[in-house]
Amino acid sequence: MNLAAAANENLASTSNTLIYSAMAIYTLAFLAHMAEWVFGSRSKVGRTAAALTADKAAAPAVTVQSKTKAGGTAVLDRPKVVTRSAAGSRDVPDGIGAHGGTEKGDLYGRIAVSLTTLAWLIHVGGVVSRALSVERAPWGNMYEFSTTFAAVAVAVYLILLVAKKNVRWLGLPLVTTVLLDLGLAVSVLYTASDQLVPALHSYWLWIHVSCAIISGAVLYMGAVSTLLYLFRDRYEAKLADPSGKQPGAFAKSVLERLPSAASLDKFAYRINATVFPLWTFTIIAGAIWAEAAWGRYWGWDPKEVWSFITWVAYACYLHARATAGWKGRKAAYLALIAFACYLFNYYGVNIFVTGLHSYAGV
């Protein structure tokens, strides 16, 4: 074995070690996010004190974070943010966050974000080490695509936090999904470092696949917020139900801390609308690459077909969101169907369907 091959093998081993290390820290972040939700479930005394404080603070001046002691629980008082919803629907304040407005919950939330950041840095190190070991873009098979996809998804979340967006509620579902994705990658999809098939030796690998990964990571954010919107919308409808039927204690404890249904709906729409042009470019770039590799822009290969189906599904969603009769839950269902098409295009087509894009490596 020559020195170059030995160095590449060492880098591949380092990459595996870093991915497993990142998984361990993501697990700690998952536990911290869970603690944030658990300790953010305030006692009745704490809830009553917060409600009284909110009533007293209903004056024009909006101040900050004061700390009050209620029943032994430190409560953080925050101003209510109301997102204007569509005509004919509810205008409801955003929830107080996963921490529940408590000092202890907020502390665990900050620890969770710090651990997620640390895990992400190690995770990125693993992806970069893999790239160095194979001397190419680290997404030539499903294992490499999955590990890079997870890293980009976390990066999008951290960027939104740095931009001071109210997205900490995304932390728990995100870290849970990342752990599932990496667990599947290392246990089922793992492929040893190897060179690409000739068709993939092109600079379009960097352009086309990187755009697909970024698009998927952002679309994932949109899918999570859309799913939570459906739960929160149902919760708000029950609260407004004149029959007096109220949500259960567990549902209330969780859902009351999320942003309002209107906020979640607008966040999902903006996320999906922002990344849709990039997904469109991804398909166009793939067609250009196909012409360079196989001499035709479009050949109705299964991967090409499902990429187009995904594009059509998201186009239908965006059109529905702009149409008065299809706003709200109907449009949300379309968004989830569209993301399901993206997932099938990745897992289903790669694993179960044979075509020119069969590079799964499993």
Side-chain angles (χ1 to χ4, degrees):
M1 180 183 297
N2 59 40
L3 292 178
N8 289 343
E9 186 174 331
N10 289 335
L11 284 169
S13 177
T14 299
S15 173
N16 295 339
T17 301
L18 289 173
I19 293 296
Y20 278 108
S21 299
M23 290 176 66
I25 301 177
Y26 278 130
T27 301
L28 295 177
F30 168 80
L31 295 175
H33 277 297
M34 286 293 295
E36 178 185 18
W37 282 92
V38 170
F39 286 104
S41 181
R42 294 181 292 172
S43 66
K44 290 183 179 179
V45 175
R47 292 179 194 280
T48 303
L52 291 173
T53 304
D55 291 338
K56 291 177 182 178
V62 176
T63 49
V64 83
Q65 277 188 21
S66 58
K67 298 179 184 177
T68 62
K69 292 286 183 179
T73 302
V75 179
L76 304 179
D77 303 322
R78 299 174 186 270
K80 290 186 176 182
V81 177
V82 179
T83 297
R84 301 297 297 179
S85 58
S89 57
R90 300 173 295 272
D91 288 327
V92 179
D94 285 341
I96 46 187
H99 53 75
T102 66
E103 191 174 38
K104 181 177 282 189
D106 188 59
L107 173 62
Y108 278 107
R110 293 175 185 278
I111 292 172
V113 171
S114 299
L115 288 171
T116 301
T117 303
L118 176 60
W120 176 74
L121 291 172
I122 297 173
H123 186 172
V124 170
V127 172
V128 172
S129 297
R130 176 77 174 199
L132 293 174
S133 72
V134 292
E135 300 178 346
R136 56 170 171 77
W139 41 73
N141 50 58
M142 286 188 73
Y143 167 75
E144 295 172 358
F145 189 101
S146 294
T147 53
T148 306
F149 175 90
V152 173
V154 177
V156 172
Y157 170 67
L158 295 176
I159 289 170
L160 289 173
L161 285 178
V162 170
K164 300 189 182 305
K165 301 298 182 182
N166 177 25
V167 295
R168 210 162 82 182
W169 47 271
L170 268 171
L172 181 58
L174 171 70
V175 172
T176 303
T177 305
V178 166
L179 281 171
L180 291 173
D181 177 72
L182 292 180
L184 184 63
V186 300
S187 62
V188 177
L189 304 177
Y190 181 76
T191 303
S193 299
D194 200 358
Q195 293 305 308
L196 299 173
V197 297
L200 293 184
H201 282 289
S202 170
Y203 60 87
W204 282 104
L205 174 67
W206 290 91
I207 301 172
H208 171 64
V209 184
S210 64
C211 289
I213 291 172
I214 295 170
S215 297
V218 178
L219 292 175
Y220 162 78
M221 296 290 179
V224 172
S225 54
T226 299
L227 183 62
L228 292 177
Y229 156 75
L230 291 173
F231 286 109
R232 173 76 189 202
D233 183 64
R234 182 76 67 186
Y235 167 76
E236 291 178 6
K238 285 185 177 180
L239 290 180
D241 189 351
S243 67
K245 184 178 180 181
Q246 296 294 301
F250 176 76
K252 188 172 183 180
S253 175
V254 173
L255 296 175
E256 72 175 359
R257 290 182 267 165
L258 291 174
S260 67
S263 293
L264 289 168
D265 185 38
K266 288 185 178 182
F267 177 77
Y269 172 68
R270 288 169 180 171
I271 283 284
N272 289 327
T274 299
V275 80
F276 183 71
L278 183 63
W279 180 247
T280 303
F281 174 75
T282 299
I283 296 175
I284 294 172
I288 296 172
W289 188 8
E291 195 280 331
W294 302 312
R296 89 292 187 281
Y297 289 101
W298 195 265
W300 298 103
D301 184 73
K303 177 70 72 173
E304 297 168 351
V305 170
W306 276 96
S307 294
F308 180 67
I309 290 173
T310 303
W311 184 90
V312 170
Y314 273 107
C316 289
Y317 161 73
L318 295 175
H319 177 71
R321 263 308 255 102
T323 305
W326 275 82
K327 284 184 179 179
R329 299 183 70 86
K330 290 181 181 179
Y333 291 136
L334 277 177
L336 293 179
I337 290 172
F339 188 69
C341 290
Y342 177 90
L343 289 180
F344 180 78
N345 187 31
Y346 177 55
Y347 288 105
V349 173
N350 281 349
I351 296 175
F352 303 111
V353 181
T354 301
L356 291 173
H357 291 79
S358 299
Y359 307 126
V362 294

